[in-house]
Amino acid sequence: MRARTAALLRRLAGPSAGLLASLALTSAALALPACLEAQRKVDEANALRFQARQEARLGNHDRVCDTLDEVGDRYDDARDAFEQCGEGIVAIDLRSELRGLRIAKKINRCD
């Protein structure tokens, strides 16, 4: 069942598949309040990434950059919360997401 859930999360997540698979495998740790907060921050970051893509599609450059900055803030908060609840390996996965975010900012000329 756990492998099935991880496979489903990978298919649904797209670029964040590795991160979500790690989260699915650490479901016991997610019971901790800090881990729940961290998961919420990751979910918010994913929603904001979608919003940034929509803004880019509409050509609203300033809003894209602002939204990508918010995504970075959410990932930083999530990384801190995961480290606080003892899930350092997920915090490491977030570094790759932050790298992808830096690339998105460079592509959109946000820096």
Side-chain angles (χ1 to χ4, degrees), residues 1-43:
M1 182 69 168
R2 197 174 263 183
R4 225 185 199 174
T5 303
L8 177 62
L9 287 173
R10 271 195 265 354
R11 271 187 262 146
L12 292 175
S16 299
L19 175 63
L20 289 176
S22 296
L23 294 176
L25 296 176
T26 60
S27 61
L30 288 177
L32 298 172
C35 289
L36 291 173
E37 176 68 17
Q39 177 59 46
R40 188 177 65 79
K41 293 294 183 179
V42 169
D43 293 342

Side-chain angles (χ1 to χ4, degrees), residues 13-103:
S16 299
L19 175 63
L20 289 176
S22 296
L23 294 176
L25 296 176
T26 60
S27 61
L30 288 177
L32 298 172
C35 289
L36 291 173
E37 176 68 17
Q39 177 59 46
R40 188 177 65 79
K41 293 294 183 179
V42 169
D43 293 342
E44 288 175 9
N46 289 334
L48 287 168
R49 284 186 95 159
F50 176 79
Q51 181 180 338
R53 285 192 299 273
Q54 296 304 313
E55 295 291 345
R57 186 178 60 81
L58 295 173
N60 191 349
H61 175 75
D62 292 334
R63 187 65 190 137
V64 170
C65 294
D66 291 343
T67 304
L68 290 175
D69 286 339
E70 290 179 38
V71 170
D73 293 342
R74 297 306 189 287
Y75 279 143
D76 288 336
D77 293 344
R79 184 187 62 220
D80 294 342
F82 276 123
E83 287 175 353
Q84 186 178 31
C85 77
E87 287 299 313
I89 192 74
V90 178
I92 292 170
D93 283 347
L94 283 172
R95 286 189 215 155
S96 64
E97 294 294 325
L98 287 167
R99 251 184 312 238
L101 181 61
R102 282 193 302 274
I103 292 169

